[in-house]
Amino acid sequence: MIIEENEFDKQIDDLLNKEKTARLANNLVETLKVTKQIANLCFVTKQYSKFNELIVSLSKKRGQPKKAQIELVQMAMIELKTLPINQKLEMIDAIMKVCEKKIYLEVEYARCVLMLTQYKEDDNQIADAAKILQEVQVETYGSMDKREKLEFILYQMKIMIKKLDYVRLFIISKKIEPKNIEDDNIADLKIIYYSFLVIYYRHENNYQETAHAYSKILETLHKNRQLEATKVDFNFKIDYNTVLENYAIFTILSQYSEEKQKQLQSIVTTYKYGLEALPNLQQLIQAFLGTELISTEPQTHNIQAAEIFDESIENNQQRYKDFRRQLIHHNLRIFQIYYDSVYLNRITELIGISTEELEEEICIMMDQKLLKCKIDRIKGIVDYQLKKNENDVLQEWGDNVNKVLNLIDLTSNLIKREEELFL
């Protein structure tokens, strides 16, 4: 349908007069009808610049019904899909002006922001994209669907990773409550969320939290292996064996604690069949759970091919050094189990490190309260039998008394049960 410009202007003026009459008369039905006619006329004649002007001006008219504004914006959102990029950007800008600071149009505003940001991202204008995105607080939008809201927040996280703004990435990640993504219908989004957290914690060299994020991904894949097809940016691999391997190694890299040992034991029992495809990793986990000395040379454990040591991933050399450190720390804890005191040169001989490095690692472990000992440099001895103060002696005595009383109580209950059964 082709309409000459003069004819188009005349029809628009007539419709605007009708719109004004209906609006001032509070005739909602007629107002909606006329505003739709205005939009349709602009779309049919492809007068998109005129439409952009009209949608902004109509939204500012006194007494303009919310319903009319919503209808105009929704019609514009549909028409957007058919437009070339330049006209699309102009219309997006007009829609955003109409929607800004209006609760009843917050979803459409967020969608326009997302489209604009995607264009900026494709054009490699990451800083501009981040600036636009960070002003939108979709977590407060009650009318937005849960999945769409999560996708928007995940996109914000993605842009912050591209911008290398890890501080803001962490802040945005807190918008998502972990309990809110424990839903099988959004399991793919859960994987993407924890993948982005892995990237953040890996950058921060926080091994414990990285392992936790990997455990959540693995837990989801364990329930549904089809989710391995989930696409994550930044060449992040969602492969069952790779995720299992990374989870286990990051757990090993984390500082020693009872929780760490429980996690390693949980990996052995829960993912027993998965570990069968990774025999070297299985042996390494068993070594850390055992009470025997192990080699402090990382290459002897044959896990250099693991993804976390890949050169394409940042801080890979630091992780390699920390892996060796954990091997040394494991051996020093074993010495504490079997020796009251031991010569430094004997330790260096057994685990294959220099005396200087040994002293440094012992000091680190003592500072982290992972080891209780003292070094006699003159005699060259590590003494694990430290003199206890009065409080420690009293505490130990109290603990021993409690153990004895518990054993007596248990024995009495067993005797009583036997008497009830057989007498």
Side-chain angles (χ1 to χ4, degrees):
M1 181 179 177
I2 301 174
I3 300 176
E4 293 184 2
E5 190 172 345
N6 292 336
E7 184 65 23
F8 170 77
D9 291 340
K10 183 181 177 183
Q11 290 190 28
I12 286 292
D13 289 339
D14 289 343
L15 290 171
L16 287 174
N17 288 330
K18 289 181 181 179
E19 181 274 334
K20 181 179 180 180
T21 304
R23 173 166 47 82
L24 295 178
N26 291 324
N27 189 339
L28 178 60
V29 175
E30 185 64 22
T31 304
L32 289 174
K33 180 182 175 182
V34 176
T35 50
K36 286 181 181 179
Q37 287 175 346
I38 292 171
N40 285 325
L41 180 61
C42 292
F43 295 156
V44 169
T45 56
K46 300 190 183 303
Q47 296 285 345
Y48 297 114
S49 297
K50 185 66 175 178
F51 173 78
N52 295 339
E53 294 175 17
L54 290 171
I55 192 174
V56 175
S57 62
L58 286 171
S59 67
K60 295 179 180 179
K61 297 290 186 183
R62 181 170 61 87
Q64 188 68 264
K66 292 180 182 179
K67 185 68 175 173
Q69 296 179 54
I70 293 170
E71 287 287 347
L72 276 173
V73 169
Q74 289 178 347
M75 290 177 72
M77 294 294 288
I78 295 170
E79 190 68 20
L80 269 177
K81 299 173 184 177
T82 65
L83 299 180
I85 188 64
N86 290 334
Q87 290 179 330
K88 182 182 285 189
L89 290 175
E90 289 174 3
M91 191 174 289
I92 286 173
D93 184 57
I95 295 171
M96 288 174 64
K97 287 178 181 176
V98 175
C99 298
E100 195 171 12
K101 297 179 181 179
K102 293 176 182 174
I103 295 176
Y104 51 91
L105 289 170
E106 60 188 6
V107 175
E108 287 76 10
Y109 181 78
R111 288 171 182 165
C112 285
V113 167
L114 192 60
M115 285 189 279
L116 183 59
T117 307
Q118 287 170 342
Y119 167 74
K120 295 285 186 183
E121 182 191 2
D122 293 340
D123 201 34
N124 204 30
Q125 300 178 38
I126 303 301
D128 291 341
K131 186 177 179 181
I132 295 167
L133 264 185
Q134 67 192 32
E135 295 174 359
V136 183
Q137 311 296 329
V138 292
E139 64 275 12
T140 63
Y141 292 3
S143 54
M144 183 177 275
D145 175 71
K146 180 180 179 180
R147 184 179 183 88
E148 187 178 6
K149 192 183 295 186
L150 287 171
E151 286 175 343
F152 193 97
I153 295 172
L154 290 174
Y155 190 75
Q156 287 179 316
M157 292 177 70
K158 172 187 167 183
I159 293 297
M160 292 308 154
I161 293 173
K162 285 195 169 187
K163 192 187 174 187
L164 303 180
D165 188 346
Y166 291 100
V167 174
R168 199 171 292 277
L169 167 64
F170 181 70
I171 293 170
I172 292 172
S173 72
K174 292 301 179 183
K175 294 179 179 181
I176 298 178
E177 286 285 338
K179 63 182 180 182
N180 292 335
I181 54 176
E182 296 297 331
D183 184 346
D184 292 341
N185 295 323
I186 53 172
D188 56 327
L189 300 184
K190 176 182 176 181
I191 287 175
I192 295 171
Y193 171 67
Y194 282 109
S195 299
F196 289 165
L197 284 185
V198 164
I199 293 171
Y200 170 74
Y201 287 120
R202 199 166 59 190
H203 171 78
E204 297 293 319
N205 283 330
N206 189 331
Y207 301 137
Q208 186 176 359
E209 290 297 335
T210 306
H212 175 71
Y214 267 120
S215 73
K216 290 295 185 179
I217 298 173
L218 186 61
E219 177 187 297
T220 309
L221 292 177
H222 196 63
K223 292 178 182 176
N224 185 359
R225 293 291 289 269
Q226 292 181 352
L227 290 169
E228 288 184 77
T230 304
K231 292 184 179 180
V232 182
D233 294 279
F234 313 107
N235 296 320
F236 196 96
K237 295 179 182 177
I238 304 299
D239 172 73
Y240 186 86
N241 287 343
T242 302
V243 173
L244 173 57
E245 183 179 57
N246 289 341
Y247 170 35
I249 297 177
F250 272 111
T251 303
I252 289 170
L253 288 176
S254 61
Q255 183 177 302
Y256 175 81
S257 64
E258 289 298 323
E259 183 62 31
K260 172 182 174 178
Q261 296 304 98
K262 288 178 182 177
Q263 280 185 327
L264 290 175
Q265 190 61 55
S266 174
I267 292 170
V268 171
T269 53
T270 307
Y271 306 109
K272 178 172 63 175
Y273 298 110
L275 286 172
E276 290 177 359
L278 302 164
N280 293 329
L281 180 62
Q282 190 174 29
Q283 290 175 12
L284 181 63
I285 294 172
Q286 293 293 356
F288 270 90
L289 290 172
T291 55
E292 296 181 2
L293 296 178
I294 57 179
S295 172
T296 56
E297 293 302 322
Q299 60 268 25
T300 61
H301 299 284
N302 300 314
I303 61 165
Q304 302 95 311
E307 186 189 43
I308 72 168
F309 300 126
D310 194 289
E311 292 181 358
S312 64
I313 300 175
E314 65 173 340
N315 300 330
N316 64 306
Q317 290 298 324
Q318 182 61 46
R319 283 191 287 276
Y320 197 76
K321 292 177 184 176
D322 290 336
F323 174 53
R324 183 171 182 272
R325 172 163 285 168
Q326 287 304 316
L327 294 171
I328 294 171
H329 286 192
H330 168 81
N331 289 332
L332 293 178
R333 287 194 302 274
I334 301 306
F335 277 106
Q336 188 176 30
I337 295 172
Y338 294 108
Y339 290 91
D340 291 337
S341 61
V342 60
Y343 285 100
L344 285 169
N345 59 6
R346 180 58 176 159
I347 298 177
T348 58
E349 180 186 337
L350 287 172
I351 65 176
I353 63 174
S354 65
T355 304
E356 293 77 12
E357 186 178 11
L358 174 61
E359 289 182 2
E360 181 185 349
E361 295 302 330
I362 289 175
C363 290
I364 290 171
M365 292 187 73
M366 289 174 65
D367 185 54
Q368 296 173 345
K369 301 188 185 305
L370 300 176
L371 207 62
K372 290 183 179 180
C373 65
K374 64 180 179 180
I375 300 173
D376 188 334
R377 282 203 173 106
I378 296 175
K379 295 180 180 180
I381 291 175
V382 179
D383 188 3
Y384 292 109
Q385 287 293 310
L386 298 179
K387 184 178 179 181
K388 298 176 182 176
N389 60 36
E390 294 82 354
N391 291 331
D392 290 337
V393 172
L394 184 61
Q395 182 65 43
E396 186 178 353
W397 178 81
D399 291 341
N400 290 335
V401 169
N402 285 332
K403 287 179 182 178
V404 171
L405 291 174
N406 288 334
L407 285 171
I408 292 171
D409 190 43
L410 177 62
T411 306
S412 299
N413 289 334
L414 291 173
I415 293 171
K416 188 174 181 180
R417 187 187 301 172
E418 291 290 323
E419 288 175 347
E420 290 175 353
L421 288 173
F422 299 105
L423 294 178

